[in-house]
Amino acid sequence: MGRFIAIRLMHALIVLFIVIVLVFLVTRLIPGDAFLVAVAASGVEVDSAKTVKVLEEFYGLNKPFYEQFLIWLVNFVSGDWGESIGTGGDVLEMFLDRCPITLQLFFWATLWQFLIGIPAGVISALKRNSRTDMAITTGALIGFAIPPFWQAIVMIYLFAVLLPIFPPSGYVSFAEDPMGNVMSMALPSMVLGTSGAALLARYVRSSLLEVMSQDFVRTARAKGLGERAVVTLHAMKPAMIPVVTVVGLIWAGLLGGSFILEFVFALPGLGRMTVDAIYQRDFPVIQAMLIIVSLNVLFMNFIVDVLYAYLDPRVRLR
Amino acid sequence: MTAAAQAPPLLQVRDLAVEFGGDGGVVKAVNGVSFDLHRGEIVALVGESGCGKSVTALALLRLVADPPGRITAGSIHFDGEDLLQIPLPLLRDIRGDRIAMIFQEAMNSLNPVHRIGRQIAEPLSLHRAMPMRDALAKAVDLLRSVRIPEALRRSRDYPHQFSGGMQQRAMIAMGMGCEPDIIIADEPTTALDVTIQAQLLELLQQQVVEKQTSILLITHNLGIVARYADRVNVMYAGRIVEQAKAEDIYDRPRHPYTLGLLQSVPRIDQAIGDKLTPIEGQPPDPINPPPGCPFRPRCRFAVTRCDEDIPPLRRLTDSQSIACWVDVDD
C-alpha cells in the first residue's frame, strides 16, 4: 500500500509540472493587455505606449520567456506568488484570505452529497422498481438537469424570501457568529451539492444492483446472514468501487460550480476572486488560480486512487 | 447403510416445484421433485445442464433469486420443520450452520474484497457467537484441514491470490466450519483438473465418515457419482426420472434416459473399437414442453401412451424407481 501511494504521488507531481508549464504559456496567449486596462482605468492622460514599456520593464516582462518562467517558478514555490495587477495586493495573501470560504462550501456540499446521494441510491437499489425507486430516480434526474444558477434562484426565493429561514446572500465568518456562518453556507452548499448527489444516487443504485446479483452475495445469504448484513458487510464495499470514480469527477467539478454560486450568493471566495481577475487580465492571480484548480483535480484523483486501493485488493497488490 | 435406511430421513423433499417467470413465458425449472437424504450418506443429483439440479439445490435453502424465480409447491422437511414454511429468520439460523452450501465457481462465489480467513470465520462468529479472533484461528485450522499450505499466511490472502483449486478448497472449508448436518455441494469440482477433483471429493467423503455429515452432491459427472455416491437421483427436464442405489444404476439402469446417459460415457471395460452412443436430439423447450413424457421425442423405447400421459415415479424394487411407462430392463 505504501509503495502504491508513493508511485501515485510521483505521477501526480509529474502531471503538476506539465500543468504549470502549460498554465504559464496559456496565460500569455490570452488577448488583451493588463497595463492598457490599468492605464485606461486610471483615467490619467498619458502616453500609453511609453507607460506600458516602463511598466513592462518594472515587472520584468521584457525578459526572455524561459527566464520569466524560471523566476516565476522559483518565486511561486518559495511562497512569493507575486502582486495582483488589479489590486496591488499579495496574491498568496489574497488566496489564503478567500480560501476558507470556498473550502467551507466544498465541505458542506460534499457532506450534503454523501448524506443524500448514497442513501438514496442504496434505497433505490434495494427497492428496485418500487414507487420509492421511481421517485428517487426521477428526483435525481431533475436535480441533475436543472442548472445550478436556476436552482440557486429558486432556493433563495423559497427559503430566504417565502420562508425566511436562511439569509439570501452574503457571508458571515465562523469566528464572528458560528450559527450565522452555517446559515449563510446552507443554501449555496445545497445547490452546489445537488447535481453531485443526483449523480451519486444513480451510480450507487446501478452499481449496488449489479453487485447484489453476484454469486458472492448469494454465498453470504447461504451463510445465514440477514439482508442488512449482506448489504452492509458484503455488497457495499464492492459496489463502491465504480462509485469512487464518479466521486472524483464530482469533486473536481465542485470548484467550477462554486465560481458561479459565489457570484449568485455574494460570497467573497476564490471563485469571485478568479472571475474578477479574468476581467482585469490580472495574470498573477489567474496563474495562481489555474494552478490551484489543477492541483485540486490532481489531489482529488490521488485521493480516488488511494480509495480504490483501499476498496479493491486487486488494485492494491498489482 | 441399512441402519440409516430404517431411521427417518434427515431431509425429506416432496413435490418441490420452482418456476421462473418472465415476459417470454413461465419455465418450470423444477417440477415435482421428491427425494430423501439420510444421515451419513452421499446422495447424488445427476443430469445434463439445464435439467434443474442446481435450482433444486438452491431451493432447499430458499436461495433461488426472486424475482425471477419462485418456489411454487412442495415441502422440505428437515428436523421436523418444513423449510419452505418457517419464517426467514429461523431459516437463516439453519443456513450455513446446520445446512451448508458449497457453490460451483468458487472464484465468483467468494467475496473479492474480503480476506479468505475472514470469509471462512464469518459463519462461525455468526452461528457460534465466537469472538472474531477465535473464529479466525479456527478458520486457519479449517484451511489446514483442506490442505492449504502455509494456512496462517494464506488466510490473510484475498480470493484472487488463490488458484482455482485452492479457492474451491476454501469454499469447502467455509462449508465445514460449523460442522453442518448437511452439505449441499453444487458441482464442487467442475472446472478443476482430475487430481484436485479427487482430493476435494475425498475431503468431503472424510466428513461423511468422521462426522456423519450427509452430502447432496450435484453433478453431471457420472464417474464421480459411481465412485462417491450411495444413492442417485437422475433428473431430466425438471423431474426425477430414476432413483436407485449407485451400484444399481450402473449395473441395471431401468429408465431409457439413464441408459442413454451411461451409453454416452466411455467405460474402461469397454471393448476397443466400440462406439459411444450419444442421446439423439435436444432437451425439450422449457417454455413449451411437449405433452406427455418430456423424454418422449428422444426415446428409443417410446410407446403410444408416452405421447399423452406423463409417467409418475413408480417403484420397481425396494431401492429403485423410475418415471417411465416401460422398463428398459425387460
Side-chain angles (χ1 to χ4, degrees):
Chain A
M1 191 82 180
R3 210 178 99 86
F4 176 87
I5 292 177
I7 292 171
R8 290 288 140 167
L9 263 178
M10 278 294 296
H11 286 178
L13 282 176
I14 294 167
V15 175
L16 181 64
F17 182 77
I18 297 171
V19 165
I20 286 177
V21 174
L22 284 178
V23 163
F24 191 80
L25 285 173
V26 166
T27 32
R28 264 134 199 90
L29 294 176
I30 300 175
D33 189 312
F35 300 129
L36 282 179
V37 174
V39 169
S42 70
V44 185
E45 282 291 327
V46 287
D47 177 352
S48 39
K50 212 172 177 182
T51 319
V52 167
K53 208 164 174 225
V54 172
L55 284 167
E56 272 185 352
E57 251 166 61
F58 178 76
Y59 284 107
L61 291 175
N62 55 346
K63 287 190 180 134
F65 194 73
Y66 63 91
E67 219 180 303
Q68 288 183 37
F69 177 69
L70 279 178
I71 293 169
W72 172 76
L73 184 64
V74 170
N75 287 346
F76 190 84
V77 172
S78 57
D80 175 5
W81 289 13
E83 258 170 34
S84 161
I85 298 177
T87 66
D90 184 81
V91 177
L92 182 60
E93 250 170 49
M94 283 166 68
F95 170 75
L96 291 177
D97 269 358
R98 283 144 178 272
C99 193
I101 298 168
T102 303
L103 280 182
Q104 281 177 56
L105 208 54
F106 269 38
F107 173 79
W108 291 114
T110 306
L111 197 71
W112 173 247
Q113 266 167 13
F114 284 6
L115 287 183
I116 299 292
I118 294 177
V122 171
I123 292 168
S124 192
L126 296 182
K127 305 195 167 197
R128 68 171 178 284
N129 301 333
S130 67
R131 276 183 197 179
T132 321
D133 177 24
M134 302 249 278
I136 290 174
T137 312
T138 313
L141 201 63
I142 293 171
F144 191 66
I146 298 178
F149 72 85
W150 175 250
Q151 277 182 42
I153 295 168
V154 173
M155 293 288 266
I156 292 172
Y157 181 67
L158 288 180
F159 297 109
V161 179
L162 278 187
L163 294 168
I165 307 169
F166 303 109
S169 68
Y171 175 71
V172 181
S173 89
F174 188 79
E176 255 173 57
D177 174 6
M179 197 56 207
N181 169 267
V182 173
M183 295 302 262
S184 71
M185 282 292 160
L187 287 182
S189 313
M190 272 191 250
V191 176
L192 184 59
T194 300
S195 69
L199 213 56
L200 267 182
R202 303 210 55 155
Y203 271 85
V204 168
R205 178 185 186 271
S206 69
S207 180
L208 187 59
L209 270 182
E210 160 108 31
V211 170
M212 289 302 282
S213 69
Q214 300 277 312
D215 286 351
F216 62 79
V217 170
R218 188 179 60 193
T219 307
R221 293 203 183 102
K223 283 177 178 177
L225 291 168
E227 209 48 30
R228 183 181 294 254
V230 168
V231 174
T232 55
L233 298 178
H234 283 268
M236 268 319 265
K237 205 170 158 191
M240 290 312 282
I241 294 169
V243 173
V244 161
T245 315
V246 182
V247 170
L249 292 174
I250 293 172
W251 268 342
L254 278 185
L255 201 56
S258 72
F259 281 17
I260 300 165
L261 292 174
E262 282 174 16
F263 241 86
V264 178
F265 286 97
L267 296 172
L270 291 176
R272 282 273 295 283
M273 182 177 92
T274 311
V275 177
D276 289 345
I278 292 169
Y279 280 138
Q280 295 167 356
R281 305 285 185 281
D282 195 344
F283 286 128
V285 176
I286 296 172
Q287 272 177 150
M289 277 315 295
L290 281 175
I291 290 168
I292 293 301
V293 170
S294 19
L295 203 62
N296 174 53
V297 173
L298 284 174
F299 178 69
M300 291 314 178
N301 266 332
F302 173 70
I303 298 283
V304 163
D305 281 342
V306 173
L307 274 177
Y308 254 141
Y310 163 73
L311 289 172
D312 192 348
R314 287 162 296 190
V315 171
R316 191 185 321 163
L317 298 151
R318 190 148 58 207
Chain B
M1 261 322 295
T2 42
Q6 310 296 312
L10 187 60
L11 188 78
Q12 198 174 33
V13 180
R14 289 293 172 267
D15 305 316
L16 185 66
V18 184
E19 287 179 2
F20 286 87
D23 297 337
V26 172
V27 173
K28 291 183 172 166
V30 178
N31 203 344
V33 162
S34 305
F35 64 91
D36 292 339
L37 182 62
H38 289 93
R39 186 168 287 282
E41 72 171 347
I42 299 181
V43 169
L45 213 52
V46 214
E48 55 198 330
S49 42
C51 72
K53 54 191 194 300
S54 286
V55 176
T56 304
L58 289 174
L60 297 182
L61 285 176
R62 278 155 62 183
L63 287 170
V64 178
D66 176 13
R70 237 173 20 261
I71 299 173
T72 49
S75 64
I76 299 165
H77 281 280
F78 170 72
D79 200 20
E81 283 178 297
D82 184 353
L83 298 185
L84 293 182
Q85 303 300 331
I86 60 172
L88 207 50
L90 285 182
L91 182 65
R92 286 191 187 120
D93 290 341
I94 294 171
R95 285 176 180 171
D97 183 14
R98 302 194 56 200
I99 304 180
M101 273 201 87
I102 296 169
F103 292 100
Q104 55 186 331
E105 291 175 55
M107 179 72 191
N108 300 328
S109 297
L110 292 166
N111 193 322
V113 304
H114 292 312
R115 294 175 200 275
I116 295 277
R118 197 202 120 166
Q119 296 192 51
I120 296 175
E122 202 171 17
L124 292 163
S125 70
L126 182 71
H127 296 295
R128 295 280 174 273
M130 240 186 222
M132 205 51 188
R133 178 193 298 262
D134 298 352
L136 284 171
K138 177 85 192 285
V140 174
D141 290 343
L142 284 164
L143 279 174
R144 210 170 275 135
S145 74
V146 295
R147 287 176 225 132
I148 299 281
E150 297 184 78
L152 180 62
R153 185 173 68 79
R154 286 304 206 149
S155 73
R156 286 194 285 264
D157 277 358
Y158 290 92
H160 72 276
Q161 291 165 285
F162 271 37
S163 70
M166 287 164 74
Q167 287 170 351
Q168 198 65 57
R169 271 182 274 178
M171 229 22 241
I172 292 177
M174 198 190 296
M176 295 189 327
C178 291
E179 302 189 1
D181 297 322
I182 298 174
I183 293 177
I184 301 169
D186 183 6
E187 308 254 8
T189 59
T190 312
L192 298 179
D193 61 63
V194 187
T195 44
I196 294 171
Q197 268 189 19
Q199 275 180 20
L200 295 183
L201 289 163
E202 261 141 44
L203 266 168
L204 286 173
Q205 205 173 31
Q206 199 184 332
Q207 283 291 303
V208 174
V209 175
E210 288 174 5
K211 310 234 162 81
Q212 280 293 293
T213 310
S214 309
I215 293 177
L216 182 67
L217 184 65
I218 287 109
T219 180
H220 62 261
N221 186 329
L222 289 165
I224 288 177
V225 173
R227 180 138 184 204
Y228 298 98
D230 298 312
R231 289 190 302 116
V232 184
N233 297 286
V234 181
M235 278 188 83
Y236 185 79
R239 297 164 196 274
I240 289 181
V241 293
E242 181 155 9
Q243 281 181 330
K245 286 185 185 161
E247 61 262 31
D248 292 342
I249 284 270
Y250 291 88
D251 291 346
R252 267 184 98 185
R254 309 285 283 266
H255 192 284
Y257 177 64
T258 318
L259 183 68
L261 272 186
L262 289 168
Q263 283 175 344
S264 57
V265 179
R267 290 174 76 124
I268 196 81
D269 53 2
Q270 209 166 13
I272 293 170
D274 271 10
K275 288 235 170 81
L276 293 175
T277 342
I279 305 176
E280 299 293 332
Q282 297 292 321
D285 174 8
I287 296 180
N288 298 305
C293 173
F295 191 59
R296 163 72 186 86
R298 304 169 78 182
C299 185
R300 289 186 273 150
F301 302 89
V303 293
T304 42
R305 194 174 183 191
C306 305
D307 289 330
E308 290 135 31
D309 300 328
I310 298 175
L313 206 60
R314 66 187 167 108
R315 181 168 282 236
L316 297 175
T317 69
D318 268 359
S319 59
Q320 197 157 9
S321 307
I322 56 170
C324 184
W325 297 120
V326 294
D327 174 357
V328 299
D329 204 41
D330 291 338

